[in-house]
Amino acid sequence: MTSLITRRGLMLLPLTLLAGCDWVVLNPSGDIAAQQGQLIVVSTLLMLLIIVPVIALTILFAWRYRKSNTEAKYDPDWDHSTQLELVIWGAPLLIIIALGLITWISTHKLDPYRPLDRLDANRPISAAAEPLTIEVVALDWKWLFIYPEQGIATINELATPVDVPIRFKITASTVMNSFYIPALAGQIYAMPGMETQLNAVINEPGTFDGFSANFSGAGFSHMRFKYHGMDVADFDQWVKDAKKNGSTLDRAVYTQLEQPSEREPVRHFGKVAPDLYHAVLNRCVAEGTVCMNKIMHEDANRMKVQAAARNFLRDEKTVLAEIDAAVCTPSTNLLKSN
Ligand SMILES: [Cu+2]
């Protein structure tokens, strides 16, 4: 008896654990994350349209056609029902059509590269409205945030004003990470030598968790930061405070910073070398290295010259063939006429 109670208690344990959860993904503070949360709810409900009836009917059939029930009709030669066929084929078809439409629409509407067209469900904004740009660099094992317009940078702390569209440009220094603030928007990969983007907005002031959602080595577990959604006035004050901090983030400081380290404390830089993010992205922070975009540009130019040379040679062959034809044809004709 005790073992049965214990077993039942243990079965309930996961539920009590879940009850303590802060369901941030389904109750976020940013409009993009809110729309993504709604997608999860809608697709789960669509799935339950099949799962709930199937489970209910399984139990119903097992009960109704149990051996001791002599009332149930026994019909071993039954093999077809048009109504059943309609339900069995129609229901999944309609659900797949609905899921397909939702996927198509939301993939385009929630494309992280697409500039926002609304602050939330009730407040549209023009796509031309200039967002706040933040450059994100995933380092081993801390986050660097550069505010190019404000000329400041931070380590392991992010702040943005509430109800202002933000455009994140995301890259990494060595290995792949994933930039994830569940309250704000879905995760976006951070990769060295390339840039990903995220457009999002926070609608409520508050402090939220941010972290790397892609394992990146020894210090990964502590690659966490606090994200502050602030009133515009508080944000301006925060920028001013950061500016007051005299230290400068230049290439030398960055090279130090880039070295692997764990549990980095929050740090602010009042000045940032203006081309630092470009150099990080194109892997040319170190003195004397050529930037990747420059190498790619030169490669592209070389390809163009090679293609032009090939075209020229082909044209020359065509011209020679034409000359050949022009010179040789009359002589054969002459031969023929003789
Ligand atoms: Cu994948």
Side-chain angles (χ1 to χ4, degrees):
M1 196 62 201
T2 344
S3 74
L4 186 69
I5 291 168
T6 323
R7 243 181 293 152
R8 283 193 181 154
L10 282 175
M11 275 160 68
L12 285 174
L13 197 66
L15 280 179
T16 59
L17 287 175
L18 279 175
C21 273
D22 173 18
W23 292 53
V24 64
V25 169
L26 294 180
N27 185 26
S29 305
D31 185 51
I32 294 289
Q35 292 181 68
Q36 290 168 338
Q38 282 158 15
L39 267 183
I40 295 172
V41 172
V42 168
S43 41
T44 307
L45 288 178
L46 277 172
M47 181 184 73
L48 289 176
L49 279 181
I50 294 288
I51 290 180
V52 170
V54 165
I55 290 176
L57 287 174
T58 307
I59 294 167
L60 178 77
F61 287 166
W63 174 249
R64 179 181 287 176
Y65 299 103
R66 69 193 184 278
K67 196 177 174 188
S68 60
N69 183 13
T70 47
E71 305 277 289
K73 197 173 139 205
Y74 177 59
D75 189 0
D77 295 323
W78 179 88
D79 68 355
H80 182 79
S81 156
T82 308
Q83 280 126 309
L84 264 183
E85 292 283 332
L86 275 176
V87 173
I88 289 165
W89 290 99
L93 195 66
L94 289 175
I95 288 175
I96 287 167
I97 289 173
L99 275 177
L101 269 177
I102 292 169
T103 306
W104 174 267
I105 294 167
S106 53
T107 304
H108 288 92
K109 209 173 70 169
L110 296 174
D111 177 358
Y113 285 55
R114 187 170 168 264
L116 299 188
D117 55 12
R118 65 183 230 188
L119 289 178
D120 58 34
N122 306 316
R123 288 177 296 167
I125 44 165
S126 93
E130 259 313 296
L132 168 71
T133 301
I134 298 175
E135 295 158 343
V136 181
V137 184
L139 299 167
D140 285 342
W141 287 278
K142 57 251 162 195
W143 292 94
L144 168 64
F145 302 105
I146 303 174
Y147 292 70
E149 288 143 23
Q150 286 73 19
I152 59 164
T154 60
I155 295 289
N156 286 345
E157 186 182 61
L158 177 67
T160 69
V162 166
D163 289 337
V164 170
I166 321 157
R167 182 177 55 207
F168 292 101
K169 296 172 164 187
I170 305 161
T171 190
S173 65
T174 56
V175 291
M176 190 160 138
N177 277 283
S178 184
F179 174 67
Y180 189 24
I181 302 170
L184 179 75
Q187 57 154 329
I188 301 289
Y189 284 125
M191 294 167 280
M194 56 185 94
E195 180 184 275
T196 46
Q197 288 178 28
L198 170 66
N199 285 277
V201 62
I202 196 81
N203 300 114
E204 287 166 20
T207 299
F208 311 99
D209 288 314
F211 51 91
S212 174
N214 191 85
F215 181 70
S216 56
F220 161 78
S221 312
H222 305 291
M223 220 175 140
R224 299 181 148 264
F225 62 92
K226 289 291 176 200
Y227 167 47
H228 305 282
M230 295 174 165
D231 294 330
V232 176
D234 287 347
F235 176 71
D236 289 343
Q237 189 56 47
W238 181 83
V239 172
K240 256 183 222 154
D241 289 346
K243 267 189 196 293
K244 245 190 285 173
N245 183 323
S247 81
T248 302
L249 179 62
D250 55 18
R251 290 183 180 220
V253 176
Y254 175 82
T255 311
Q256 277 295 312
L257 203 60
E258 205 189 20
Q259 301 306 312
S261 63
E262 294 180 32
R263 299 171 193 257
E264 280 289 325
V266 171
R267 237 183 298 169
H268 292 179
F269 297 96
K271 276 191 206 107
V272 185
D275 59 347
L276 181 64
Y277 175 78
H278 177 270
V280 171
L281 176 61
N282 289 292
R283 309 185 66 69
C284 52
V285 175
E287 207 63 54
T289 42
V290 185
C291 292
M292 251 173 44
N293 65 325
K294 201 169 168 233
I295 296 173
M296 286 192 283
H297 185 71
E298 278 164 8
D299 281 351
N301 275 348
R302 200 165 45 244
M303 301 279 270
K304 260 187 234 161
V305 170
Q306 279 169 355
R310 265 197 306 275
N311 275 340
F312 176 74
L313 286 176
R314 196 179 54 226
D315 288 351
E316 201 176 37
K317 265 183 211 151
T318 324
V319 171
L320 284 176
E322 274 164 14
I323 293 170
D324 230 31
V327 172
C328 300
T329 316
S331 61
T332 45
N333 282 348
L334 273 175
L335 283 174
K336 266 182 201 160
S337 64
N338 282 347

